[in-house]
Amino acid sequence: MGSRFGNFLQSVFERTYGPPTTTLLQTILRTKMLLNQSRRSLPDQHSINLLRQLVSFDTVSRNSNLPMIEFIQDYLAKRQINSRITYDRERRKANLFATIGSGKKPGIVLSGHTDVVPIDGQEWASDPFVLRDQDGRYYGRGACDMKGFIAIALAKVDAMLEADLDAPFHLAFSYDEEVGCIGVHKMLDDLREQNVPALGCIVGEPTNMQMKTGHKGKRAFRCVVTGRSSHSSTPDAAVNAIEYSTELISFLRTQSKELENSLRDHLFDVPYTTLTTTMFNGGIATNTIPASCEFVFEYRYLPAQDPTQIDHRIQHFIAEVLLPQMQEKAQEAAIELSTCIDYPALETPSGAEIQQIVENWAIPGEQSKVGFGTEAGIFTNFGIPSVVCGPGDINQAHRPDEFVSAQQLILCEDFIDGLIWEMWSRKAANQD
C-alpha cells in the first residue's frame, strides 16, 4: 500500500473501472481477507515476537511500566517516529503517544493500556510473563487484556508508513487503566496542548473483534464510619460503627433494587445500573463496640443514567438520617466518602465516522454494549468519538492461564490491514 504499489493499483483501476471508489476497494480487500483467513492458521511471526516481548514486561499496575514504554519508544524511533511521553507524578509510569506518518488530516487513534492485573493467588500452568504457545492459544498475563492488540498495532506500523497516508494513525498507550483509568487523562491533557486532530479512537479491549459502541460508567467509593467505642456490656454509651455501616449498606441495597426496576438498556447483558458493596472491614474484639468501620461500594451505570442523582440520594441519607442519630450521642461521629474510581460511560455518538469505518472491517455481530469499563468513554468525552474493538474474549482476561487465540490475532491483523486500506483508498479517491 505504499506509493509505488498505490500508484500501480490506482492506474489499473482507472483504466478498468474509472476513478477508484472506497466501496469498490473495500469489497476487493474484504474478499482477499476472507481468502487469507481460510488459508492462515497462525499470525505473522513479527506479531508473535512483539507479543512475546510485551508479555515479558511485568506491568502489573503496582509496578513501573517504563521498561515496556522504553521498548516501544525505541521500536518506533528505529522507524524515525517520535513518541510523546507523559509521566505520572513520581515518574515511575508513563503514557506513550505517537503519530505514524506526516499526514495532517484527522486520523485514527489506536488505544491500549500497558498495565495488567496481578497474578497473586492464581495458579498458572507456566510462568505468566513468558508467552506460551499451545494448541492455537497464546498464554500469558496481558496476552488477552490487552497486549495482543498493542502487539498487532506495532506490527502494522511499517504498513502504515508504507501507505503514506494523509490521515495518519496514532498510537496511544496508557498506564494505570486497570486501577481506574488514571493515566490516560495526562495523555489527553498533553494532546489538548498539542492540538492533535483525530477523527476517532479504537480502544482494543477484548471483544472477539466485534465492534462495541457503549459501556457502563463506574464510580467506586470508600466509606469510613467513625462512631464511639465502649465495652460491649455498655452499648448505650457507644455509637456502633458497624451497625451504622450496615444501615447504610441496607440503604444501598434498596437503591440497587430501585435502579434495577427503572432505566433499562437491553443492548447490555445486565440491562440496568448495578450498585454493589464489595469490601468490608470493622471491629477489633468480641467484647468491644467498634468505633470505626470501613467498606467499599460501587455502581456501574448506564450511559443514559445521571450518576450525580445516585450520589445525591446516598449523601442525603447520610446527612439527614444517619449522622443526626450518631451525633446525638457522639459529636465526633462521622461518615466520610472518598472516591476510589470514577470513569464515564461510553455512548458512541450516532453517525460517528469512526463507527462507520470500524463497522466495515470488524467481525459482524449483533449490536451490543459491554458491562466492563474502558478508556473509550474518556476519549469520547474529550471530543474524540470512540468504539471498542479488539482481539480476545473478556472471559479469558484477569484469570489464571489468560490467553488469546491465534485466530483472534489473525482477525486483528486483517482488521488493521483493512483500516489502512480504507484510509489509503480515501486518499487515492481524493487525489482524482
Side-chain angles (χ1 to χ4, degrees), residues 117-139:
V117 297
I119 60 171
D120 303 35
Q122 296 184 341
E123 295 185 10
W124 285 67
S126 59
D127 188 334
F129 300 106
V130 176
L131 190 70
R132 173 165 58 97
D133 174 5
Q134 182 178 336
D135 300 327
R137 295 175 175 178
Y138 295 93
Y139 293 87

Side-chain angles (χ1 to χ4, degrees), residues 66 79 86 97 130 137 150 189 202 232 247 294 353 406:
L66 293 184
R79 290 155 175 80
T86 49
F97 186 89
V130 176
R137 295 175 175 178
I150 295 176
D189 288 343
I202 301 168
S232 60
E247 285 196 43
E294 68 177 66
E353 188 176 6

Side-chain angles (χ1 to χ4, degrees), residues 16-85:
T16 310
Y17 304 106
T21 67
T22 300
T23 303
L24 183 56
L25 292 172
Q26 286 174 352
T27 301
I28 291 174
L29 183 59
R30 186 177 291 277
T31 302
K32 173 179 174 290
M33 289 166 59
L34 291 172
L35 291 173
N36 283 345
Q37 289 171 19
S38 67
R39 292 196 300 264
R40 295 172 63 196
S41 60
L42 294 174
D44 292 340
Q45 190 58 48
H46 185 39
S47 300
I48 299 307
N49 290 344
L50 284 166
L51 179 57
R52 179 173 290 107
Q53 184 67 57
L54 297 183
V55 167
S56 73
F57 296 110
D58 179 355
T59 54
V60 170
S61 300
R62 61 180 172 238
N63 301 330
S64 171
N65 73 334
L66 293 184
M68 178 171 166
I69 289 294
E70 289 165 0
F71 168 80
I72 296 173
Q73 185 178 17
D74 182 63
Y75 175 88
L76 296 174
K78 290 176 180 176
R79 290 155 175 80
Q80 287 73 55
I81 298 170
N82 294 323
S83 301
R84 295 191 62 82
I85 308 297

Side-chain angles (χ1 to χ4, degrees), residues 123-177:
E123 295 185 10
W124 285 67
S126 59
D127 188 334
F129 300 106
V130 176
L131 190 70
R132 173 165 58 97
D133 174 5
Q134 182 178 336
D135 300 327
R137 295 175 175 178
Y138 295 93
Y139 293 87
R141 174 54 86 224
C144 175
D145 184 16
M146 54 182 297
K147 293 181 178 180
F149 178 79
I150 295 176
I152 302 301
L154 291 173
K156 294 300 179 182
V157 164
D158 291 334
M160 296 173 191
L161 290 171
E162 182 68 11
D164 190 25
L165 301 170
D166 55 5
F169 284 86
H170 308 282
L171 305 181
F173 302 144
S174 65
Y175 68 86
D176 279 359
E177 187 273 351

